[in-house]
Amino acid sequence: MVHYHRYHHQFCRKGQKHVEEDEESQVLIMECENSGYFHKRARPKLLSLLIISLLSCSFILAPHLFFNSVSTFSLLYSFGDPFADMGANTPLCSSVSNGTICCDRSSIRSDICVMKGDVRTHSASSSIFLYTSRDENDFVNYGDEEGEEVIQHEKIRPYTRKWETGTMDTIDELDLIAKNEHSGVNHHCDVRHDVPAVFFSTGGYTGNVYHEFNDGILPLFITSQHFNKKVVFVILEYHDWWILKYGDVLSQFSDYPAIDYSGDKRIHCFPEAIVGLRIHDELTVDSSLMEGNKSIVDFRNHLDQAYWPRIRGLIQDEEREAKEKLEKMHPLSPTSETSLNVEKEEQEDWFGKPTLVILSRNGSRALTNENLLVKMAKDIGFRVNVLRPDRTSELAKIYRALNASDVMIGVHGAAMTHFLFMRPGSVFIQIIPLGTDWAAETYYGEPARKLGLKYIGYEIVPKESSLYEKYDKNDIVLRDPEAVNKKGWEYTKNIYLDGQNVRLGLRRFRKRLVRAYDYSIAKLNRHVHLQSQ
């Protein structure tokens, strides 16, 4: 197995940073963080800062240290959990006093701040204000540019790739400012909401389906589901196409239209705001951290509810078109009779056959003998459907195909994110090119199992890679991809991600496909048996 994290740890020591569009690149800095390297360097500096802060503030803030000052809390969480009685799995800032800003910066993936009380937006200054009646002596005060006293000030970039400095630098930063309630006299509400708000960004890697789900949609579910749709989404770096693409899903999380933070200059007022999104792991939901133990299966159920109204419309359109087509034909014409007979034969031929969906790739990591795979799958007994999704593909149509499938096959890449559209108990076969086995398992294999899929990872051998024709059979590129990955990210990207296609060894792959077929047939037979009882 290729251990990207070993290479990334070594590479990060050189202080080099890389940001790429495909999902494999995101492991770089993440793995440096996981390795503990950055943490080890940061600890002495952080410890010194903490000691100095404690000494300088001990006489002034001692009576309020653990009870009133949320800012101090954000510095002290590493010394112990003040909310230990809330349970080990309770997120920080899950219980916030009125008139308070609480920021949880403990995660390496994302920061999240909670504001409770009189919350008002001010997009012109990229700020969110909290007007409070709390005792100003509870906080460290200073004056702002307008001469008004600031009780508390936090900064946050509401995106879930905190460890990637280069990416986060492209995300709009928000100032969260607490002031005395008297300062709000000239900051009138244009729109007053009686439900909380969740602020997040659709910048960063938005445009890549893996990141759209992993960095955005899933964290949005995690962060907002406990509001039971009584929540307003306020979006930074708002994109009309993103709203069009994911509007059906958003409607499952919120009863209210989303707000364009920068585009809507009105002052929106909320009783509470969550700024930033919580994220658990790659393409999954940790039920132990969720209210009501919600899981990735619950998230998929929301997808089902989101897409079925559109799917029913597609089915009705198809039925209407088929009816109109038949009506145009003369009932006694040979053409009409032939068409009806062919359609009937196709339906009979499909009956009882498991459905296989192949997600086809263009460009790098393409399956060059895909046509032969289709023929072999049909010979085994599958009904085969080849999908070629791109950024403009309607998700409801992809969901319809995969929700109805028994098996999905695809070469490792962002499109594998669509395993989320499969029903638990279905089979997902991921074809793993040379040098990508760690990423394939981490990003898709393990999350697929958590969804309840029967996952099969098919690691190709050198002869199945187009690299076999470019390099000598004893070359390290073919013999030891892990060693190549250790040389640096550019080697991984240029050789294994962008410079490789796959030609399946059909005899070898057939064993996995037959196993998937046998499993699917047994499942279909059990379903028929249960229906007959």
Side-chain angles (χ1 to χ4, degrees):
M1 176 174 285
V2 178
H3 296 283
Y4 280 19
H5 56 291
R6 294 179 186 172
Y7 142 63
H8 289 141
H9 176 68
Q10 179 183 15
F11 197 58
C12 284
R13 292 183 179 182
K14 300 177 183 178
Q16 301 183 43
K17 300 175 183 176
H18 295 268
V19 177
E20 303 292 344
E21 288 189 358
D22 206 3
E23 73 283 354
E24 290 86 357
S25 67
Q26 311 318 316
V27 75
L28 176 58
I29 303 176
M30 178 64 173
E31 287 307 315
C32 292
E33 291 280 0
N34 284 342
S35 68
Y37 179 69
F38 286 150
H39 292 298
K40 290 177 182 176
R41 290 185 59 188
R43 281 171 187 159
K45 184 176 180 181
L46 176 60
L47 185 58
S48 300
L49 176 62
L50 289 171
I51 292 172
I52 293 171
S53 300
L54 284 169
L55 289 174
S56 62
C57 298
S58 58
F59 294 101
I60 300 173
L61 300 177
H64 311 285
L65 189 58
F66 291 104
F67 301 101
N68 297 320
S69 177
V70 179
S71 295
T72 307
F73 165 74
S74 67
L75 291 174
L76 296 178
Y77 67 82
S78 60
F79 283 90
D81 184 2
F83 301 123
D85 60 332
M86 294 170 60
N89 291 327
T90 303
L92 299 178
C93 297
S94 60
S95 179
V96 180
S97 301
N98 202 50
T100 298
I101 302 175
C102 175
C103 290
D104 177 2
R105 304 186 189 276
S106 61
S107 171
I108 63 172
R109 290 177 175 265
S110 67
D111 290 335
I112 187 166
C113 293
V114 180
M115 309 172 74
K116 198 163 186 180
D118 185 0
V119 180
R120 309 184 192 184
T121 64
H122 191 257
S123 60
S125 62
S126 297
S127 302
I128 307 173
F129 291 97
L130 173 66
Y131 294 101
T132 176
S133 60
R134 293 190 63 172
D135 186 352
E136 295 173 6
N137 293 324
D138 289 349
F139 303 89
V140 178
N141 306 330
Y142 66 91
D144 63 7
E145 295 178 355
E146 299 176 357
E148 295 180 350
E149 194 167 33
V150 172
I151 298 173
Q152 186 179 359
H153 188 178
E154 303 282 351
K155 290 180 177 289
I156 185 172
R157 298 180 189 270
Y159 190 61
T160 57
R161 304 197 77 80
K162 173 182 169 181
W163 71 94
E164 290 188 16
T165 305
T167 304
M168 294 302 289
D169 286 344
T170 70
I171 303 300
D172 292 344
E173 186 176 59
L174 288 175
D175 289 290
L176 313 183
I177 302 171
K179 291 186 175 184
N180 187 281
E181 59 185 350
H182 301 300
S183 302
V185 174
N186 298 320
H187 192 192
H188 299 290
C189 298
D190 296 319
V191 183
R192 189 175 294 277
H193 304 267
D194 59 1
V195 297
V198 172
F199 291 73
F200 64 97
S201 172
T202 54
Y205 294 106
T206 299
N208 175 299
V209 68
Y210 165 81
H211 291 290
E212 287 168 4
F213 274 93
N214 187 70
D215 304 345
I217 298 297
L218 264 164
L220 187 60
F221 168 74
I222 290 168
T223 307
S224 67
Q225 60 85 32
H226 66 285
F227 289 124
N228 296 316
K229 302 178 69 173
K230 303 305 177 185
V231 61
V232 175
F233 298 142
V234 185
I235 303 176
L236 284 71
E237 297 166 87
Y238 184 101
H239 304 285
D240 288 330
W241 66 263
W242 189 88
I243 294 294
L244 181 64
K245 184 175 184 177
Y246 291 105
D248 291 339
V249 179
L250 295 184
S251 69
Q252 294 300 309
F253 303 160
S254 171
D255 285 334
Y256 304 87
I259 295 173
D260 178 356
Y261 177 79
S262 298
D264 189 339
K265 302 300 183 183
R266 295 175 298 175
I267 296 174
H268 290 265
C269 299
F270 302 93
E272 181 181 351
I274 297 177
V275 187
L277 300 176
R278 297 191 186 278
I279 180 172
H280 292 163
D281 206 343
E282 307 300 328
L283 293 176
T284 196
V285 176
D286 184 344
S287 60
S288 69
L289 300 175
M290 297 290 286
E291 184 176 300
N293 298 117
K294 295 291 180 64
S295 69
I296 187 64
V297 175
D298 293 294
F299 171 77
R300 190 198 174 278
N301 290 340
H302 280 291
L303 295 183
D304 199 65
Q305 294 167 18
Y307 292 131
W308 263 105
R310 171 60 177 152
I311 291 172
R312 279 191 287 269
L314 291 171
I315 293 172
Q316 291 171 359
D317 290 343
E318 292 169 1
E319 290 175 345
R320 183 176 62 256
E321 290 173 4
K323 183 178 179 180
E324 291 174 353
K325 182 178 179 181
L326 288 175
E327 289 176 349
K328 289 180 181 179
M329 298 180 182
H330 193 280
L332 299 178
S333 69
T335 304
S336 177
E337 291 182 7
T338 301
S339 298
L340 290 172
N341 289 334
V342 169
E343 191 171 308
K344 184 177 179 181
E345 288 174 5
E346 287 180 349
Q347 291 175 351
E348 291 175 352
D349 184 52
W350 289 344
F351 182 76
K353 287 188 173 184
T355 300
L356 166 67
V357 171
I358 299 173
L359 290 184
S360 181
R361 282 184 67 95
N362 294 319
S364 65
R365 284 165 282 155
L367 194 58
T368 59
N369 60 342
E370 183 181 281
N371 59 329
L372 297 179
L373 172 61
V374 171
K375 182 179 183 303
M376 182 176 73
K378 289 180 176 179
D379 291 342
I380 289 172
F382 282 105
R383 173 188 176 187
V384 180
N385 183 9
V386 179
L387 293 183
R388 295 179 173 83
D390 58 32
R391 291 185 181 185
T392 63
S393 298
E394 187 178 354
L395 291 180
K397 293 180 179 179
I398 300 174
Y399 185 89
R400 178 187 179 187
L402 290 174
N403 182 65
S405 71
D406 299 287
V407 181
M408 181 181 86
I409 295 176
V411 179
H412 171 67
M416 295 301 95
T417 305
H418 294 114
F419 79 78
L420 292 168
F421 294 0
M422 302 184 74
R423 290 166 294 150
S426 302
V427 180
F428 169 28
I429 303 176
Q430 182 177 200
I431 299 169
I432 305 171
L434 297 181
T436 67
D437 46 350
W438 184 90
E441 170 64 20
T442 301
Y443 295 125
Y444 306 113
E446 184 178 350
R449 293 188 194 94
K450 291 178 180 178
L451 181 59
L453 302 183
K454 304 299 180 182
Y455 173 73
I456 299 174
Y458 179 80
E459 298 181 16
I460 71 169
V461 297
K463 286 186 177 181
E464 293 174 287
S465 171
S466 61
L467 298 175
Y468 193 77
E469 300 173 359
K470 298 180 182 179
Y471 297 88
D472 182 84
K473 64 180 181 180
N474 293 318
D475 193 288
I476 192 173
V477 168
L478 301 176
R479 185 170 43 83
D480 192 357
E482 180 177 359
V484 176
N485 285 330
K486 289 179 180 179
K487 290 183 177 182
W489 171 248
E490 290 302 318
Y491 286 86
T492 302
K493 181 179 185 298
N494 294 333
I495 295 173
Y496 296 120
L497 298 181
D498 295 346
Q500 177 178 201
N501 288 324
V502 175
R503 184 175 180 84
L504 284 178
L506 296 179
R507 181 177 297 181
R508 180 170 178 258
F509 189 77
R510 182 184 177 92
K511 297 176 182 178
R512 278 74 170 180
L513 204 52
V514 168
R515 191 186 350 155
Y517 176 82
D518 291 341
Y519 169 83
S520 300
I521 283 292
K523 190 176 69 169
L524 287 172
N525 288 339
R526 286 195 299 272
H527 180 69
V528 171
H529 177 70
L530 290 173
Q531 283 189 326
S532 64
Q533 290 182 337

